[in-house]
Amino acid sequence: MRYWSLPALALLTAPGALAYPSMIAHGYTSCAACHVDPSGAGQLTQYGRGMSDLLVRWHVDPKEVESGEPSPAAGFLFGLLPTPEWLNPSGNLRGGPMVVVGSNVAVVPLVMATDLTATLELSPVVAHVALGFGLKNMGPAVVISPDPSTGELALVSREHWLGLKLFDDALVLRAGRVPVPFGLRNVEHTSAVRALTRTDVNTDQQHGVAVAFAGDLLRAEVMGLLGNYQIRPDAVRERGYAGFVELFPVEHVGIGASSLLTWAGRDLDTEVPLLRQAHGVFARFAPVEPLALLFEGDALVDTAFDAAGAPTTTVGGAAWLQADWTIIPGVHLLPAIESSAHGDGMLAGWLGAAWYPLPHTELRADAIVRETFAAAGPTSAFVGLLQLHLYL
Amino acid sequence: MRLTPSPRLRALPIVLGVLATTFAGVALAGYTLTKTPAAVQFTGIGPGGFKMVGKTAALSLVQDDKALTFVVALADLTTGIALRDRHMREKYLEVAKFPDVRLAVPLASLPNPAAGASTAGELKGTLSLHGKQREIPFKYEASCTVANVCTAKGSFTINIKEFDIVVPSYLGITLKPDVVVEAQFEGTR
C-alpha cells in the first residue's frame, strides 16, 4: 500500500496546493468562479485573485475590506506585469523546514513546489499547463528526471489540459492531465483521505477525459481515467473512472458522494494486478461565517490478484474531520483529526495555523501527531512543518 | 492581470439586488407584521455555478384604500461581503436615489384565507424598483392559524435590465439579468 510505503518525509509532509473548500462559509459553493479548475484548487482566476485579496488576506485595518477594491498587488507578479484578459499566468512556490521528531536529521528543508502555470482562454476553449523545475519526491508528476533513481532536479507537470466551456461555463469538458475528481479537495495532500484514495492535487493527477457541471444547487465531475502517461510501463497505469457529486440543500451546506474504480495490471505500489475502489461521502458546513467544518469518509476496497489469478480482497477506510476557523480575517486555525484502516491502522491529529499577511502570500505552520497500529505494535510520529507559500 | 479593469468590469458581483422584495402574497387586509423578522432575499446567478444571495429583514406593509404595498428598504440589504454590498448599493441599485423597492397588490385581488386555512396561487402586482414600475406576476402561499396569525411567502423573477439596473459584472464574472426574489413574513389580522 502506497500510503505506508512512502518515505517518511513524503508521507508526513503537509499541505499542498491552494484550495479552500471552506469558502462555503462565504457563500461560495461553486469553485469555478475563483479557480481555473472547475472543481477547485490550484490556479486562481482573475475573480479568485480579487476575492483572495478581500476574503483571505489579512488586513491591518479590517475596514479596508469594506472601503476598498482588491489591492493591485493581487494581480500577476504582485501587479507588476499587466496581462491581457485571455492570458492568465501565475506561479506556485512553496517550501519550508520540516522537523521530524526522532529522525536522524533534525530539520529537513523542503522545496515542495516551483510551478509556473498559464491558462489561455479563448472562449469557449481553455488551455492550462503547470510546469515545475528542480523538484524531487514528485513521483507520478515527474515528466523528466536527470537521475530517475533519486528523482532529483526533475521537471514536473502536475497539470496540462485542454478544455471546452459550454452553457455559460456550467459544463466544462477537459482532456489531459487533470486532478482526479473525488471527495474534498483539501490541501493536506498527505491526509489519509487524499493519499489512500490517490486523489491529491499534489502529484496524483491522471490523464483522462473529464466532464464537470456546476449549478446553483449542485456541482459534479466525472472523469474517465486513461492512466498517468508520465509513468511507465503501461501496466502500472490505472484505468477506470472517478467522480463526485455535491448538493447544496441549504445555504452554507454541501453534501457530496464520490466514487472511484481503477484497474492496473501491475500496481505501482504493490506490484501485483490490482482492482482499486474507493467510495465515500463528504460534507461542508459553515454554521457561522468564521467557521467551516469539513468531513470526508471513504471506504477502500482493494482486490489484488496473484500469479494464478486468484483474487484477494481487502476492505478498509479513511476519514477526515477538519475545522477551518477564521480567528480574524487573514488568520486561520485548522485543527483536524483523521483515521484510516488500510493495512495498518492509523489515528492522527493535526493542528495547523495559516496567516495571509500579504497579497497571495501564505505562511502556514502544522503540527501532526500520527499513531500507527501495526502488527508489531503501535508507533508514533510527530512532525512539525513551516511553509512559505507564494502564488504569483 | 489587473484587478482594476474597465469600468464595465468593475461592477460588483453583486447584484442585483435587491430587487425586491416583496411580496408575499397574501396579504390580507388589515394586517400587521408580528415581531417575527421578515425574510426577504434575492438570488442572482452567474457563470459556472456562481450564486449570490442578498438578504434583509426590512419589510414593511403599507395599505390604503386601493392596495396593500410591500415595502423593502434597501439600505441594509447584504450579500455577506462588504465590498460587494457597497457596489450593490452604490452602482447598481443606487440606494441613495431609490431607497426602497415596492410591490403594490390591489386589495380586490388579495386572498383572505379563513382562520386555520391556507391558500396559494398567483397574483399580479406593480413593482417599483430603481425608479421604474412594471406589473409583474408573483406566486404566493399563505396560511392563518385559528388565532389569526398568518404567515405568507411569495416569489417572483425579474429581469433587472427592465428596471434600468446595470447587469453587475466584476473581474470577469457577469451575473445573469434574471434575479429571483423571495419574501416571507408573519402578520396578524
Side-chain angles (χ1 to χ4, degrees):
Chain A
M1 288 144 206
R2 186 176 98 148
Y3 179 61
W4 298 110
S5 62
L6 284 173
L9 295 187
L11 181 110
L12 296 173
T13 302
L18 182 66
Y20 299 113
S22 58
M23 286 298 283
I24 197 168
H26 291 288
Y28 288 101
T29 51
S30 165
C31 309
C34 292
H35 290 277
V36 169
D37 189 308
S39 293
Q43 189 183 12
L44 295 169
T45 63
Q46 188 184 23
Y47 184 84
R49 287 177 179 275
M51 292 307 102
S52 169
D53 195 64
L54 284 174
L55 303 178
V56 178
R57 179 165 74 87
W58 176 65
H59 293 262
V60 177
D61 179 3
K63 291 184 178 178
E64 287 178 3
V65 176
E66 299 177 17
S67 60
E69 296 285 339
S71 165
F76 175 56
L77 281 181
F78 295 88
L80 297 176
L81 185 60
T83 57
E85 287 188 15
W86 51 267
L87 178 63
N88 180 6
S90 186
N92 177 31
L93 310 174
R94 186 163 45 88
M98 180 176 69
V99 176
V100 182
V101 174
S103 71
N104 296 330
V105 182
V107 178
V108 180
L110 294 177
V111 178
M112 305 166 213
T114 59
D115 290 3
L116 297 177
T117 61
T119 301
L120 182 69
E121 186 150 1
L122 299 171
S123 184
V125 175
V126 58
H128 173 75
V129 64
L131 288 173
F133 304 92
L135 299 169
K136 59 182 180 180
N137 296 325
M138 289 296 114
V142 171
V143 178
I144 300 171
S145 176
D147 184 351
S149 65
T150 65
E152 293 190 10
L153 299 177
L155 171 66
V156 166
S157 181
R158 301 173 209 261
E159 295 182 32
H160 44 262
W161 48 262
L162 189 65
L164 195 61
K165 293 184 173 180
L166 302 172
F167 306 114
D168 203 14
D169 298 354
L171 203 66
V172 182
L173 311 177
R174 293 188 291 169
R177 194 168 198 269
V178 175
V180 177
F182 189 95
L184 292 170
R185 197 158 274 185
N186 56 311
V187 298
E188 293 81 4
H189 65 84
T190 57
S191 59
V193 290
R194 294 283 68 77
L196 294 178
T197 58
R198 304 184 188 179
T199 56
D200 74 47
V201 290
N202 190 43
T203 62
D204 282 338
Q205 295 88 343
Q206 294 265 10
H207 287 94
V209 178
V211 181
F213 171 79
D216 58 340
L217 295 178
L218 72 87
R219 68 186 184 103
E221 184 167 24
V222 62
M223 179 177 178
L225 305 174
L226 302 178
N228 176 10
Y229 280 80
Q230 289 169 203
I231 58 175
R232 57 187 66 82
D234 188 68
V236 302
R237 294 173 182 147
E238 294 187 311
R239 296 190 168 97
Y241 78 88
F244 73 84
V245 59
E246 183 179 24
L247 306 175
F248 308 110
V250 295
E251 196 173 6
H252 303 306
V253 175
I255 300 172
S258 308
S259 180
L260 175 150
L261 183 150
T262 65
W263 164 260
R266 195 185 86 202
D267 181 66
L268 198 58
D269 294 336
T270 62
E271 299 190 342
V272 299
L274 183 67
L275 179 68
R276 191 168 64 85
Q277 298 181 67
H279 311 286
V281 295
F282 61 95
R284 302 186 285 160
F285 172 46
V288 292
E289 186 171 315
L291 177 66
L293 302 174
L294 312 174
F295 169 77
E296 181 175 340
D298 301 315
L300 308 167
V301 182
D302 287 352
T303 304
F305 295 83
D306 63 18
T312 302
T313 297
T314 57
V315 178
W320 170 261
L321 177 63
Q322 182 181 46
D324 184 336
W325 176 29
T326 304
I327 301 172
I328 59 172
V331 180
H332 293 231
L333 196 62
L334 300 149
I337 56 173
E338 65 168 340
S339 66
S340 68
H342 190 255
D344 298 335
M346 183 276 293
L347 183 64
W350 296 56
L351 182 58
W355 178 37
Y356 304 87
L358 298 167
H360 294 186
T361 304
E362 175 188 17
L363 191 61
R364 176 161 173 160
D366 284 274
I368 308 164
V369 179
R370 270 200 172 103
E371 188 83 4
T372 304
F373 305 96
T379 57
S380 299
F382 176 84
V383 174
L385 180 65
L386 185 64
Q387 294 179 80
L388 175 62
H389 185 193
L390 302 175
Y391 24 111
L392 303 179
Chain B
M1 197 156 292
R2 307 204 36 128
L3 285 179
T4 318
S6 66
R8 185 173 68 83
L9 294 179
R10 302 186 67 201
L12 230 208
I14 295 215
V15 175
L16 328 190
V18 173
L19 307 198
T21 287
T22 313
F23 4 179
V26 164
L28 328 168
Y31 275 66
T32 302
L33 293 176
T34 67
K35 291 183 179 179
T36 301
V40 180
Q41 74 172 44
F42 75 86
T43 303
I45 60 174
F50 181 90
K51 181 168 73 171
M52 184 178 62
V53 178
K55 296 180 178 179
T56 181
L59 172 70
S60 58
L61 304 180
V62 177
Q63 185 175 334
D64 58 23
D65 58 349
K66 295 181 179 177
L68 179 67
T69 301
F70 302 89
V71 181
V72 176
L74 300 176
D76 294 329
L77 183 67
T78 180
T79 66
I81 298 177
L83 177 62
R84 193 160 69 177
D85 291 346
R86 185 165 64 81
H87 286 192
M88 176 176 65
R89 295 177 190 132
E90 296 177 2
K91 294 183 178 180
Y92 303 110
L93 296 176
E94 301 181 275
V95 172
K97 288 169 60 179
F98 311 109
D100 57 37
V101 56
R102 294 167 179 255
L103 180 67
V105 183
L107 291 178
S109 67
L110 287 175
N112 194 11
S118 61
T119 183
E122 185 171 301
L123 292 172
K124 287 186 177 179
T126 301
L127 184 69
S128 302
L129 170 65
H130 198 244
K132 302 293 177 185
Q133 286 192 343
R134 284 187 174 273
E135 185 177 67
I136 62 162
F138 64 91
K139 295 177 180 176
Y140 73 89
E141 295 176 26
S143 61
C144 296
T145 68
V146 292
N148 279 326
V149 176
C150 301
T151 58
K153 60 182 179 180
S155 65
F156 59 76
T157 300
I158 60 168
N159 183 322
I160 60 170
K161 293 196 289 189
E162 295 179 348
F163 293 87
D164 286 352
I165 296 173
V166 175
V167 174
S169 183
Y170 187 65
L171 298 176
I173 299 294
T174 301
L175 289 182
K176 295 177 180 176
D178 291 332
V179 173
V180 176
V181 182
E182 299 164 283
Q184 181 169 345
F185 66 87
E186 182 182 272
T188 58
R189 60 180 177 181

